[in-house]
Amino acid sequence: PACLPAGRPLGGALSSFDATVNAPLLPDLSFSQAAGELACLQEGAQCVDVQHADAGLMAIHARDDVSAVRAWLARHADSPATWSAYRKEAERLLLWCRLERGLRFGELKHEDCLAYASFLADPQPVDRWCVGRGARPPRSHPAWRPFVGPLSSSSQRQALTILRGLFNWLVQAGY
């Protein structure tokens, strides 16, 4: 993809958050900037405010993808393991949407979803998306990556099942 040169660091999410929180989302965001947006999945952080086309019909107050994901995750706050698994899959998709496609959730088409499913089986380029096995740097570290490697078939199914649940809920919420 043209949005990032191969090998560009992905980490630094928390340190870059302040610089990107009020900026519009652009297709050429760096990974650090896009990952910084995801820092607002943390409780109480502010997110980028984006006008939603059908704001009057929404059952949630979210006006951007990250706030919508946060609203969805709030439903699972009583189960830390579920919350963590759901957050991980939502983060991965949000980053892929921004960095590989330059899209928001509402702009995704069927072909984008098929491409994401293929991406889960082989996240490329590896040096951009995958951390070495056994390494678990914190999100604030420049070596942080959303993947350890390609997902197994069962992990791919799990990820897509979680994301189907997210999108079903977003549609029901009017997002």
Side-chain angles (χ1 to χ4, degrees):
C3 57
L4 281 180
R8 184 153 179 179
L10 304 182
L14 298 178
S15 62
S16 68
F17 176 69
D18 291 337
T20 62
V21 71
N22 293 317
L25 299 178
L26 300 173
D28 61 347
L29 283 177
S30 72
F31 192 93
S32 292
Q33 289 170 318
E37 290 177 22
L38 299 184
C40 68
L41 289 177
Q42 300 292 339
E43 190 64 34
Q46 297 298 311
C47 294
V48 177
D49 186 28
V50 176
Q51 188 65 30
H52 191 279
D54 298 321
L57 303 175
M58 292 171 44
I60 58 176
H61 293 287
R63 293 180 55 175
D64 59 85
D65 291 346
V66 175
S67 295
V69 167
R70 192 180 349 169
W72 174 68
L73 286 172
R75 301 175 62 237
H76 306 285
D78 61 337
S79 176
T82 299
W83 187 92
S84 179
Y86 285 16
R87 178 184 186 214
K88 175 177 63 179
E89 297 309 332
E91 276 182 331
R92 288 173 170 173
L93 179 62
L94 282 165
L95 288 168
W96 182 86
C97 285
R98 302 286 200 289
L99 298 173
E100 297 295 320
R101 295 290 202 224
L103 299 173
R104 293 182 179 86
F105 283 169
E107 299 168 319
L108 287 174
K109 305 293 183 216
H110 175 74
E111 293 82 3
D112 299 312
C113 296
L114 293 176
Y116 183 72
S118 294
F119 174 79
L120 293 175
D122 188 21
Q124 293 292 324
V126 170
D127 61 335
R128 182 185 309 159
W129 289 100
C130 301
V131 68
R133 293 214 183 268
R136 295 279 186 202
R139 278 183 176 76
S140 59
H141 193 278
W144 180 83
R145 303 289 188 276
F147 292 90
V148 173
L151 298 186
S152 68
S153 294
S154 62
S155 293
Q156 291 172 49
R157 281 191 304 275
Q158 172 81 6
L160 295 174
T161 297
I162 290 169
L163 295 174
R164 264 192 297 280
L166 165 63
F167 281 110
N168 286 336
W169 186 83
L170 292 175
V171 167
Q172 290 174 356
Y175 185 79

